Amino acid sequence: MEVVVVPTPEDAAPIVADAYSKLLAAKPKAVLGLATGSTPLGVYAELIRRHKEEGLSFAGCSSYNLDEYVGLPAGHPEGYLTFIKREFTDQVDFDPDDVHGPDGLADDLMKAASDYDQAIKDAGGIDIQILGIGGDGHLAFNMPMSSLSSRTRLKTLTSKTRSDNARFFDGDVEAVPKMCLTQGLGTIMEARHAIMLGFGKNKAQAVAECVEGALSSRWPASILQLHPHATVVVDEDAASQLRFTGYYIDTFKGKPDWQGI
Ligand code: PGA
């Protein structure tokens, strides 16, 4: 696991966007795993800028969201497929038909979940999966004690996650759905490159537990310790409880320019 510590979230965006630029140069029909929430917005903004100013193209790409609320009406502004189109894919040259998310309105949610895993496999698997981290260490909507080998499935959100997300629902926690479909930890681990971002003091404990603590379903993002190509990009606040920060900074500074993350 590579840990990159940057002064501010703004400093993370070009480093992560470089990984996309490199991927798309080598593989224009890349498969991107996309995350919602506030954390990845700076990276999406940088990718949109590169599209508009530098011609970075997503025309041949397909994307798969990490998760979706169950039961939000189609087109609800906080539905995650709507969110990702608004915040990212509609602002670049992504074909809207190639932007996917789990179907939280399916009659048969279990089938929708296993179909989603299969669709990712059929697309050839995810090249870069971008991830945020929850304050309790959750990854996608894999809450603490999620199976470390879980597949896409139905999950119940913790009350903490619902209250954290109430800010997207005018502060009304009751408006936040109670259930979701989420890629499992086993699904996420199949992505060829996992990039997890964490910003702010409220992520510091989760980052420390998941990066330097024991592998445990209590801290679901700790599963990334087993990933052959995982990059964790954190700002100084989110890094504030890490113990090996000096080593991470030296290592990143010492990398050859061509290597990237
Ligand atoms: P956030 O959420 O990006 O809005 O902080 C991350 C998460 O809960 O996974």
Side-chain angles (χ1 to χ4, degrees):
M1 178 184 276
E2 176 179 30
V3 184
V4 181
V5 181
V6 291
T8 69
E10 291 69 40
D11 299 307
I15 294 170
V16 177
D18 281 352
Y20 286 88
S21 296
K22 193 171 159 188
L23 170 68
L24 292 171
K27 185 180 179 185
K29 294 189 174 178
V31 182
L32 306 183
L34 299 179
T36 54
S38 10
T39 305
L41 292 178
V43 171
Y44 297 151
E46 174 62 10
L47 293 174
I48 293 163
R49 189 197 67 73
R50 289 183 189 200
H51 168 69
K52 292 192 169 142
E53 295 176 14
E54 296 168 11
L56 182 67
S57 176
F58 299 84
C61 294
S62 57
S63 74
Y64 290 85
N65 274 2
L66 281 172
D67 42 21
E68 183 57 275
Y69 291 117
V70 164
L72 277 189
H76 188 288
E78 295 311 325
Y80 282 169
L81 194 58
T82 308
F83 178 103
I84 209 70
K85 288 184 174 177
R86 179 178 68 237
E87 300 293 339
F88 178 38
T89 59
D90 282 355
Q91 299 197 51
V92 295
D93 57 347
F94 235 105
D95 181 338
D97 290 340
D98 290 330
V99 179
H100 307 283
D103 182 2
L105 289 170
D107 290 335
D108 185 342
L109 291 166
M110 306 307 256
K111 181 172 183 311
S114 58
D115 286 354
Y116 194 66
D117 259 10
Q118 190 58 47
I120 293 172
K121 277 207 180 86
D122 292 346
I126 286 170
D127 290 299
I128 294 181
Q129 176 63 63
I130 194 163
L131 299 151
I133 181 171
D136 57 4
H138 71 240
L139 197 62
F141 271 149
N142 293 283
M143 299 291 126
M145 276 66 76
S146 286
S147 157
L148 295 177
S149 58
S150 46
R151 311 301 308 177
T152 302
R153 69 210 184 291
L154 185 63
K155 283 295 281 184
T156 301
L157 301 176
T158 60
S159 50
K160 173 163 188 346
T161 297
R162 289 181 69 225
S163 63
D164 284 350
N165 287 6
R167 69 190 193 279
F168 297 114
F169 292 81
D170 296 326
D172 178 8
V173 72
E174 284 312 311
V176 183
K178 293 190 170 68
M179 303 194 89
C180 64
L181 290 180
T182 182
Q183 282 190 35
L185 295 172
T187 317
I188 292 167
M189 286 291 284
E190 287 167 4
R192 285 181 274 280
H193 185 188
I195 303 178
M196 187 177 83
L197 309 176
F199 304 133
K201 279 252 188 269
N202 62 336
K203 304 293 171 77
Q205 185 191 9
V207 166
E209 295 284 357
C210 294
V211 170
E212 296 179 346
L215 177 66
S216 164
S217 60
R218 165 61 192 89
W219 296 99
S222 66
I223 190 66
L224 294 178
Q225 294 178 25
L226 290 178
H227 196 288
H229 189 184
T231 309
V232 176
V233 185
V234 286
D235 69 352
E236 285 171 358
D237 283 341
S240 58
Q241 293 185 31
L242 290 170
R243 297 174 61 203
F244 291 89
T245 305
Y247 172 67
Y248 306 140
I249 291 173
D250 287 349
T251 304
F252 188 66
K253 270 197 195 133
K255 288 178 87 171
D257 287 343
W258 53 262
Q259 194 175 20
I261 57 173

